[in-house]
Amino acid sequence: MSDKCVRRIKYGLLAISLSAFAAALVIFPERYTAVCLNGLKMWAVCVLPCLFPFMVICALFTNTGIAVKAALPLKKVTGIFKLPYAAAPCFLMSAMSGYPAGSRTVGEFYNANAVTQSGAKKLACLCSTTGPLFAIGTVGAAMFGSSLSGLKLFTAHIIAVVTVGVVYSLFTPKETSSAVKPSFKKDALRESFYGAVSASLTAGAFIVFFYTASAFVSDTDILYPLEKLLSLFAGEDVAAAVCNGIIEMTGGCAALANTNSVFALPFAGFLVTFGGACVLLQQLCYLTPAGVKPLTFILLKFLQGVLCFCLLLVMG
């Protein structure tokens, strides 16, 4: 089958899916208006407080040149793992802030010629993490009622992300990009706040859209085969929550917390690490201009999610 034919099929399926979703919004406005509002509330209460302050901090680090300067002493260390010299600050800002700050930082380093295309591909999955405020505060304390559960999730999440990211890098050619001179933008303060606001609102738009889309997917049983398969060993409630989380991760984690299943936290770890369609597409908005292949990135994120799931099962 030719690439042109495959592309036509993809666009055709996308057109059909969007048309069906739009029709459902028109036919059942009461149902989906309420769902959309719940998604907006979830973003404002659960995500925005964890995301915005750190988005500003990361932007200030990047726009003032501090991030590039901090990366230089670690060039030899990152080189051992065939990573770009900018790996350390990109990863730390990702782990501190959460989605999609890491991907946004990688994109900014690439645009500043501080990271090559091959380097961006290596950093894409390594600098793709949630933040401690979301994992421990929102998922752990608020959803599961236990900060310890959130700490376990965050620990397993970081181990999974680093393990897969480093192994992937070791199996690729060594990064040869040279360091760039740190630069300070004259309008660093304005650019940082404006960029953080824009990124936070964009993340909110993704969350609200995909939270509503997850309800549509649930109503139409599009993921019924997967849900049925998962229910064989995890139960129907957990399977339904995971399928919703594959579309929109935060809502899926909240649903898992209400199941009281032994699989709830491991599956929440999988969802947080994999990200679901909502988080994946947010990140790809920043990564694809840097040459990151969507399918490769999604596969690596899936492997990270599976590893996180297994680690949390072992932790108990």
Side-chain angles (χ1 to χ4, degrees):
M1 188 179 293
S2 66
D3 291 341
K4 187 175 182 181
C5 185
V6 172
R7 190 161 53 250
R8 285 181 177 177
I9 292 174
K10 289 180 179 178
Y11 278 110
L13 291 174
L14 178 61
I16 292 170
S17 301
L18 291 175
S19 298
F21 186 27
L25 296 176
V26 173
I27 298 171
F28 306 105
E30 305 88 357
R31 158 72 171 153
Y32 294 108
T33 299
V35 171
C36 185
L37 181 60
N38 287 336
L40 183 62
K41 290 178 180 178
M42 184 177 65
W43 167 72
V45 174
C46 298
V47 179
L48 185 60
C50 303
L51 180 65
F52 180 72
F54 287 109
M55 277 288 203
V56 175
I57 293 171
C58 287
L60 284 170
F61 272 127
T62 304
N63 291 329
T64 57
I66 294 175
V68 173
K69 193 172 183 178
L72 297 178
L74 300 172
K75 188 176 180 180
K76 290 185 178 180
V77 177
T78 55
I80 296 173
F81 302 101
K82 298 184 179 180
L83 289 165
Y85 81 97
C90 282
F91 174 76
L92 288 175
M93 286 190 283
S94 176
M96 182 174 62
S97 306
Y99 303 120
S103 299
R104 181 168 176 256
T105 303
V106 172
E108 289 178 345
F109 269 71
Y110 175 78
N111 292 332
N113 296 317
V115 171
T116 63
Q117 190 173 97
S118 63
K121 291 177 180 178
K122 294 182 180 186
L123 293 180
C125 69
L126 180 65
C127 302
S128 172
T129 69
T130 189
L133 281 182
F134 180 78
I136 300 173
T138 300
V139 179
M143 294 181 183
F144 281 84
S146 169
S147 296
L148 179 60
S149 295
L151 181 59
K152 286 181 179 180
L153 188 152
F154 186 65
T155 302
H157 167 75
I158 293 297
I159 292 173
V161 169
V162 171
T163 300
V164 174
V166 169
V167 170
Y168 172 71
S169 179
L170 289 173
F171 279 90
T172 59
K174 187 174 182 179
E175 181 61 28
T176 58
S177 60
S178 57
V180 299
K181 185 178 179 180
S183 61
F184 182 92
K185 292 184 178 180
K186 293 182 179 179
D187 54 351
L189 187 62
R190 185 188 69 83
E191 285 290 329
S192 298
F193 274 87
Y194 178 82
V197 169
S198 177
S200 299
L201 289 176
T202 300
F206 270 93
I207 290 171
V208 173
F209 178 85
F210 281 98
Y211 187 85
T212 309
S214 69
F216 170 73
V217 169
S218 178
D219 292 343
T220 53
D221 287 328
I222 293 174
L223 295 180
Y224 178 77
L226 176 60
E227 185 175 335
K228 191 67 176 177
L229 179 64
L230 290 174
S231 67
L232 294 178
F233 72 92
E236 293 183 358
D237 291 343
V238 170
V242 172
C243 287
N244 286 338
I246 289 174
I247 307 299
E248 200 289 307
M249 174 263 290
T250 308
C253 289
L256 280 168
N258 292 327
T259 65
N260 296 316
S261 168
V262 293
F263 293 106
L265 189 64
F267 270 120
F270 168 80
L271 292 179
V272 168
T273 307
F274 178 58
C278 177
V279 172
L280 288 170
L281 290 176
Q282 285 183 62
Q283 295 179 95
L284 287 171
C285 286
Y286 299 107
L287 296 174
T288 50
V292 175
K293 302 288 186 182
L295 288 180
T296 302
F297 177 69
I298 292 171
L299 175 60
L300 290 171
K301 291 302 300 174
F302 179 78
L303 292 175
Q304 289 174 338
V306 171
L307 180 55
C308 184
F309 174 89
C310 294
L311 288 171
L312 286 168
L313 273 182
V314 173
M315 289 180 184

